[in-house]
Amino acid sequence: MKVLAFGIVKEIMGGASVAVDANISVAALQASLEQQYPRLKQLSAFMIAVNGEYAGPDVIVKPGDEVAIIPPVSGG
Amino acid sequence: MKVLAFGIVKEIMGGASVAVDANISVAALQASLEQQYPRLKQLSAFMIAVNGEYAGPDVIVKPGDEVAIIPPVSGG
Amino acid sequence: MTDIKISATALTVQPCIDWALSAKSGGIDIFIGTVRDMTKGKKVVRLEFEAYESMAVSEMKKIANEAMAKWPVHKILIHHRTGVLVPGDIAVIIVVAAAHRDAAFDACRYAIDTLKKTVPIWKKEVFEDGEEWVAARP
Amino acid sequence: MTDIKISATALTVQPCIDWALSAKSGGIDIFIGTVRDMTKGKKVVRLEFEAYESMAVSEMKKIANEAMAKWPVHKILIHHRTGVLVPGDIAVIIVVAAAHRDAAFDACRYAIDTLKKTVPIWKKEVFEDGEEWVAARP
């Protein structure tokens, strides 16, 4: 499945989306992304959104979900 | 000398200015006005301004001063 | 910089904002006070605002200067109407421009709160069945 | 009533105020956030705003609904820009209309404070000698 990337994460990953495994927890997804893209560890933090809502570490990411990586926001 | 009246005070006094004695304190002026216009006592309070500044009770009102009666303000 | 005005004619917001906007000020807070159609459950027909103009302007300048001393703000505008206003009309506009939003919010709120306490302006509420000078009686 | 928008074109203030004004609401508070020409002593050339649009709109709606639940306010508008902005351009407009001013001020400040924490919008500051995603690094 694909995850969407924005802002600095898009630059780190070199694109607006990357492919990852589904049926894993948000925490596992974060760990897997950090392994694949070590520069993510330099961020103050990054959250995962599932279907447009911030998702806690235990949420399971399923195929068909819209998953997004949310680096620290800075709107306003 | 004359004192200026605004808002409800203008209605109580029946005009925008009234004649009063000069060379008295603000406190004495307030007492004299209340005696002349007993309905002033029905207000929550009224202040005296001398030359465009709120004046304390001990300020002496001199001929030539611009003196105004300030009922409770309600702008905004 | 300050812009203080008592106006017997309609207040307009856009020129006030244009005056305040600049590339130095990242945060602008604006308060608009308008005439409500109801007060304490009674229908308002109109409001009549009266000011002791020279002193009102000087008290409004004091408020602007005090706010600029208390908070790091660049510009403060205070415009107040006099005369007869009907529900929906704008009675007061306050605009504060600052580098950052906290100072803009704090100074704007201070300005309207203080204006309501110290500036010699009075309003008479006219209802269908009577009228009343606001805040005059205990 | 709420009016939430992400816009790739210039934001204008007057239509937002026109939407909010009514004879029911005596107090309107407006916050305008603009692009400053300097940040931390460095000259800003431009800002680039990017949004996760569908989620940003839904988070902005949440903020408006939460504010309407917490304070007695009638209307909340939140408009946010995306794209390339230069110093002086408007990045965000928030308008809150309420019967009384305290609720308008509280809800407006809550809205901008919360927007900056939860809404998925990002800005990159571009200086003469480099660029930086704001808040990304510790």
Side-chain angles (χ1 to χ4, degrees):
Chain A
M1 64 176 296
K2 282 191 172 180
V3 298
L4 304 174
F6 298 95
I8 193 167
V9 172
K10 193 160 71 181
E11 293 185 358
I12 289 173
M13 297 187 168
S17 73
V18 291
V20 297
D21 294 333
N23 297 312
I24 59 171
S25 69
V26 163
L29 172 61
Q30 284 174 309
S32 152
L33 287 165
E34 283 186 353
Q35 196 169 23
Q36 220 177 327
Y37 303 99
R39 284 175 61 206
L40 287 176
K41 295 181 200 163
Q42 294 166 14
L43 301 181
S44 11
F46 71 93
M47 307 278 286
I48 299 293
V50 177
N51 299 323
E53 300 279 342
Y54 289 106
D58 299 334
V59 170
I60 301 297
V61 174
K62 295 181 293 291
D65 282 346
E66 179 173 305
V67 179
I69 307 170
I70 312 285
V73 303
S74 52
Chain B
M1 65 176 298
K2 284 188 171 182
V3 298
L4 305 173
F6 298 95
I8 194 167
V9 172
K10 194 160 71 179
E11 292 184 357
I12 289 172
M13 296 184 168
S17 72
V18 292
V20 295
D21 294 333
N23 297 313
I24 59 171
S25 70
V26 162
L29 172 62
Q30 284 174 310
S32 153
L33 287 165
E34 283 187 353
Q35 196 169 24
Q36 220 178 327
Y37 303 98
R39 285 174 61 207
L40 286 177
K41 294 179 201 165
Q42 294 165 14
L43 301 182
S44 12
F46 69 93
M47 307 278 286
I48 299 294
V50 177
N51 299 324
E53 299 280 344
Y54 288 107
D58 299 333
V59 170
I60 302 298
V61 174
K62 293 179 295 290
D65 282 346
E66 179 172 303
V67 178
I69 308 169
I70 312 286
V73 303
S74 52
Chain C
M1 222 186 309
T2 63
D3 179 337
I4 307 296
K5 190 169 84 171
I6 300 274
S7 170
T9 55
L11 299 179
T12 48
V13 178
Q14 189 67 51
C16 300
I17 293 173
D18 293 341
W19 176 82
L21 286 175
S22 89
K24 287 198 191 319
S25 307
I28 293 101
D29 192 38
I30 300 146
F31 176 75
I32 302 175
T34 66
V35 177
R36 267 182 307 140
D37 54 5
M38 298 285 286
T39 184
K40 292 170 196 156
K42 287 170 83 174
K43 200 176 157 202
V44 173
V45 176
R46 65 175 186 276
L47 290 194
E48 298 175 12
F49 281 89
E50 185 182 335
Y52 177 12
E53 280 206 28
S54 57
M55 183 175 169
V57 166
S58 108
E59 289 292 326
M60 286 156 74
K61 280 185 182 157
K62 271 188 209 171
I63 292 170
N65 290 336
E66 281 160 12
M68 296 191 72
K70 282 166 100 87
W71 291 279
V73 301
H74 300 143
K75 293 182 178 181
I76 301 189
L77 173 150
I78 309 176
H79 287 183
H80 202 296
R81 265 302 298 277
T82 55
V84 176
L85 279 75
V86 296
D89 284 352
I90 295 176
V92 61
I93 300 173
I94 298 179
V95 182
V96 179
H100 302 285
R101 72 186 186 283
D102 284 341
F105 276 114
D106 286 341
C108 188
R109 199 157 182 174
Y110 169 82
I112 182 63
D113 287 351
T114 310
L115 181 151
K116 285 178 170 270
K117 286 180 204 149
T118 66
V119 176
I121 298 177
W122 300 270
K123 61 173 165 253
K124 185 162 71 174
E125 287 171 338
V126 180
F127 306 105
E128 285 169 323
D129 62 350
E131 55 181 52
E132 188 184 330
W133 286 97
V134 177
R137 311 277 182 183
Chain D
M1 221 184 311
T2 63
D3 178 337
I4 307 295
K5 191 170 83 173
I6 300 272
S7 170
T9 54
L11 299 179
T12 49
V13 179
Q14 188 67 51
C16 300
I17 294 174
D18 293 341
W19 175 85
L21 287 175
S22 88
K24 290 200 190 316
S25 306
I28 293 101
D29 192 38
I30 300 145
F31 176 74
I32 302 174
T34 65
V35 177
R36 268 181 307 139
D37 53 6
M38 298 284 286
T39 185
K40 293 171 195 155
K42 285 170 84 175
K43 200 177 159 204
V44 173
V45 175
R46 65 177 187 274
L47 290 194
E48 298 176 12
F49 282 88
E50 185 181 336
Y52 177 14
E53 280 207 28
S54 58
M55 182 176 170
V57 166
S58 109
E59 289 292 325
M60 285 155 74
K61 279 184 182 156
K62 272 188 207 169
I63 291 171
N65 290 336
E66 281 160 11
M68 295 191 72
K70 283 166 98 89
W71 292 279
V73 300
H74 301 144
K75 294 182 178 179
I76 301 189
L77 173 150
I78 310 177
H79 287 184
H80 202 297
R81 265 300 300 274
T82 54
V84 176
L85 279 74
V86 296
D89 284 352
I90 296 175
V92 61
I93 300 174
I94 298 179
V95 181
V96 179
H100 302 285
R101 71 186 185 285
D102 284 340
F105 276 113
D106 285 341
C108 188
R109 200 159 181 172
Y110 169 83
I112 181 63
D113 287 351
T114 309
L115 181 149
K116 284 176 172 269
K117 286 179 205 150
T118 65
V119 176
I121 298 176
W122 300 270
K123 60 174 168 250
K124 184 162 71 173
E125 287 172 338
V126 180
F127 306 106
E128 285 169 325
D129 61 350
E131 53 182 52
E132 187 182 330
W133 286 99
V134 177
R137 310 277 182 184

